[in-house]
């Protein structure tokens, strides 16, 4: 069962990433260039953390993000309000 959750998370991550890169290409943004940027790698790790959280898969990065947000005084709930 644990393996199936990870498989689902990884498949979702691949699908979302491919969709995002396809959309960028429609706007004349080169996906190859984007994927080589260090920011993209960090973004993918953040995205995986979000997906794992939705699927109830423990992820060390999720906890680190939450802890660092608190240390930096970032109110995640305030950010969520502004996104809606």
């Amino acid at each position: 069962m644990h393996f199936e959750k990870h498989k689902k998370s990884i498949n979702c991550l691949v699908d979302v990433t491919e969709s995002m890169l396809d959309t960028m290409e429609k706007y004349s943004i080169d996906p190859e260039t984007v994927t080589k940027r260090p920011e993209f790698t960090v973004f993918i790790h953040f995205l995986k953390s979000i997906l794992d959280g939705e699927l109830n898969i423990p992820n060390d990065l999720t906890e680190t993000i939450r802890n660092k947000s608190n240390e930096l005084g970032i109110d995640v709930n305030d950010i969520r309000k502004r996104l809606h």
Side-chain angles (χ1 to χ4, degrees), residues 16-44:
V16 168
T17 303
E18 285 178 353
S19 178
M20 178 183 62
L21 292 171
D22 287 345
T23 300
M24 287 181 184
E25 196 166 29
K26 290 177 187 175
Y27 289 91
S28 301
I29 297 171
D30 179 30
E32 290 292 322
T33 302
V34 170
T35 60
K36 292 177 183 172
R37 296 179 60 125
E39 298 92 335
F40 183 79
T41 302
V42 172
F43 173 73
I44 294 301

Side-chain angles (χ1 to χ4, degrees), residues 49-61:
S49 170
I50 292 166
L51 297 173
D52 286 352
E54 290 299 309
L55 295 170
N56 295 317
I57 299 171
N59 185 316
D60 292 339
L61 180 58

